Amino acid sequence: MRIDVLNGVNLNLLSRRDPVLYGGLSLSELDSRIYKWASELGCQVRCRQTNSEGLFVAWCHDAAEVTDGIIVNPAAWTHYSWAIRDALELTGKPVVEVHLSNVDEREEWRRFSVLEDVRDHRVVGKGPDGYREALEYLVNRS
């Protein structure tokens, strides 16, 4: 099983964000954990991060051709990027939405996700371990 992990805007600066909310890791450390978990679960992953919405959309298009499932943390784009929503819908692949913090208990604007009707599963507020749950969900679906 091949899985793309697509991280969005500002996650390249993950280590600078509030460790209580975001887990205190750098993006590189998070990616290392994801690769380790994937190996343990017997799947292959490709981790990507961008601050360019257009590139994120292009990666969704690419994922449709080369993956069996997609894990996304679009970050702030979650709340308003209909382009990302449409690109994920077009993949035809199972999508898991992940947020390190519990967006349901934060500011009102963070509680809305444009991905609601195209995602298969959602994980919030579990820090880095949310990515493991997302991987497990996709592996167990196959």
Side-chain angles (χ1 to χ4, degrees):
M1 169 166 243
R2 296 165 302 176
I3 299 169
D4 267 7
V5 178
L6 306 179
N7 285 302
V9 65
N10 295 320
L11 286 169
N12 59 308
L13 301 177
L14 185 58
S15 62
R16 295 187 194 174
R17 303 202 72 178
D18 182 345
V20 173
L21 292 175
Y22 295 98
L25 295 177
S26 69
L27 182 61
S28 175
E29 292 168 323
L30 176 60
D31 287 350
S32 292
R33 285 190 187 186
I34 292 168
Y35 286 118
K36 178 179 177 282
W37 292 328
S39 177
E40 291 169 359
L41 293 167
C43 62
Q44 298 174 342
V45 295
R46 174 173 59 176
C47 294
R48 297 169 135 182
Q49 185 281 328
T50 185
N51 292 317
S52 167
E53 185 178 10
L55 184 55
F56 197 98
V57 167
W59 287 346
C60 292
H61 296 169
D62 181 51
E65 304 302 321
V66 299
T67 67
D68 301 302
I70 307 165
I71 296 170
V72 294
N73 182 347
W77 292 325
T78 301
H79 317 294
Y80 66 88
S81 179
W82 295 100
I84 289 173
R85 180 245 176 253
D86 288 351
L88 288 168
E89 179 182 36
L90 290 168
T91 69
K93 303 296 180 174
V95 174
V96 180
E97 177 184 350
V98 173
H99 298 283
L100 294 160
S101 69
N102 188 343
V103 293
D104 294 334
E105 294 180 357
R106 296 187 62 196
E107 302 90 340
E108 188 67 33
W109 63 270
R110 291 186 195 269
R111 298 175 191 173
F112 173 75
S113 171
V114 298
L115 307 181
E116 185 171 349
D117 67 334
V118 297
R119 68 179 179 232
D120 295 86
H121 188 62
R122 182 173 180 249
V123 182
V124 300
K126 296 187 177 180
D129 290 335
Y131 287 86
R132 180 176 178 97
E133 182 178 320
L135 287 168
E136 290 171 345
Y137 174 84
L138 290 171
V139 167
N140 290 332
R141 263 186 73 111
S142 64

